Amino acid sequence: MYTVFFIGTAGSGKSTLVAALSTWMEEQGFDVGVVNLDPAAEYLPYVPDIDIRDRVSARKVMKQYKLGPNASIIAAVDMVVTEAERIKEEMEVVGAPIYLIDTPGQMELFAFRQSGAYLVQKLSDTHSLVVYVADAVYIQTIDGFATTMLLALSSRIRFKKPQILAVNKADLLTEEAVVNITNWSEDPETLLESIDLPSYEKEILRSVANMGGFVEPIFVSAKTGDGLDKLYYQLQIHYTGGEDAQLPP
């Protein structure tokens, strides 16, 4: 069983990308399962095979314990930990060979708390992978690119899983922006020459680049479907070395 965890900052389009990729895979004849781990989701653009909201609701937690929005999400995600074993059992019952797992919208409340790392570890199987979803509108600026790479590296260290960087909403990017992002990822020095930072902060970014923190992005659009085939190919590269484990019928 392969598990793919989608993480990223609020508004990056994680859920929309999960919906688009799962639909694309089904259209190609692949068997895919979808899991929602966001107890605060008001709407999902897909029908999950397993939905944590059936057991834990952030809205109900908020009312029951008289908590604010962030506190209720934190408490709800912590409660999800107690359901991890049952979620894993349900995944095995559904029996899909690959699962796309949608995580809570507010990344910092999931990625940088012990409960999030525990859930990723617990729900991982023989093969697991993280897709870091970046917002194309944000990452096209120099500052946005640099901070995205720092966050992506932080999450990779946190989860200790192989990671793919997917730039979502690529349909909003100009050709020049795509070239810039690609150049920055391939040659960090071009970024460091363009950004106005104190020398010590540039050294931090240079260290991140030397640690492999500047990774080649995959440009995708959940809206138009562009790049979904490339994203799926990268999943297969990680899981099977490029030989598709699921061939279309």
Side-chain angles (χ1 to χ4, degrees):
M1 181 168 67
Y2 303 153
T3 50
V4 186
F5 298 87
F6 288 76
I7 68 169
T9 55
S12 59
K14 294 185 296 295
S15 297
T16 309
L17 184 56
V18 168
L21 182 58
S22 62
T23 298
W24 181 88
M25 290 177 64
E26 289 172 352
E27 290 174 349
Q28 306 306 309
F30 300 126
D31 185 9
V32 58
V34 181
V35 179
N36 171 48
L37 286 185
D38 188 353
E42 293 290 336
Y43 163 78
L44 292 175
Y46 55 82
V47 178
D49 295 282
I50 300 168
D51 192 345
I52 193 58
R53 297 176 302 174
D54 294 337
R55 298 192 180 92
V56 181
S57 165
R59 183 172 292 277
K60 291 180 180 178
V61 169
M62 180 188 297
K63 292 180 179 179
Q64 182 177 353
Y65 297 100
K66 297 180 174 57
L67 300 174
N70 286 340
S72 64
I73 295 174
I74 290 172
V77 172
D78 287 346
M79 292 177 184
V80 172
V81 168
T82 64
E83 301 291 336
E85 197 65 46
R86 293 180 62 184
I87 295 171
K88 187 67 173 291
E89 291 173 357
E90 288 189 11
M91 291 168 67
E92 293 172 351
V93 169
V94 173
I98 183 169
Y99 282 93
L100 309 183
I101 302 179
D102 194 8
T103 62
Q106 292 178 282
M107 172 184 160
E108 68 277 14
L109 302 183
F110 179 78
F112 303 124
R113 289 182 58 80
Q114 189 58 37
S115 52
Y118 175 83
L119 285 168
V120 169
Q121 184 274 330
K122 194 68 177 178
L123 298 182
S124 294
D125 203 79
T126 306
H127 302 284
S128 60
L129 175 76
V130 171
V131 174
Y132 186 95
V133 183
D135 188 329
V137 176
Y138 181 68
I139 200 175
Q140 67 180 320
T141 66
I142 294 174
D143 291 348
F145 179 88
T147 52
T148 295
M149 290 300 170
L150 286 169
L151 278 173
L153 178 60
S154 297
S155 64
R156 191 175 358 145
I157 293 171
R158 181 67 172 161
F159 293 129
K160 299 177 178 62
K161 300 291 182 184
Q163 184 170 284
I164 291 173
L165 175 65
V167 178
N168 193 23
K169 308 178 189 177
D171 55 294
L172 301 179
L173 293 176
T174 64
E175 184 176 342
E176 180 184 4
V178 172
V179 170
N180 285 339
I181 295 169
T182 302
N183 288 340
W184 295 336
S185 63
E186 293 178 349
D187 185 5
E189 288 300 324
T190 62
L191 174 74
L192 296 175
E193 291 171 0
S194 304
I195 195 169
D196 184 18
L197 287 175
S199 58
Y200 73 91
E201 292 187 17
K202 286 191 176 184
E203 286 306 312
I204 291 174
L205 286 176
R206 185 173 284 110
S207 297
V208 170
N210 291 336
M211 293 168 58
F214 283 28
V215 297
E216 182 180 356
I218 300 172
F219 295 94
V220 299
S221 171
K223 179 180 179 180
T224 67
D226 289 343
L228 294 178
D229 54 342
K230 296 178 181 177
L231 178 55
Y232 178 77
Y233 177 70
Q234 286 300 315
L235 298 182
Q236 289 298 324
I237 287 290
H238 278 273
Y239 290 142
T240 67
E243 183 174 346
D244 206 328
Q246 295 187 83
L247 296 175

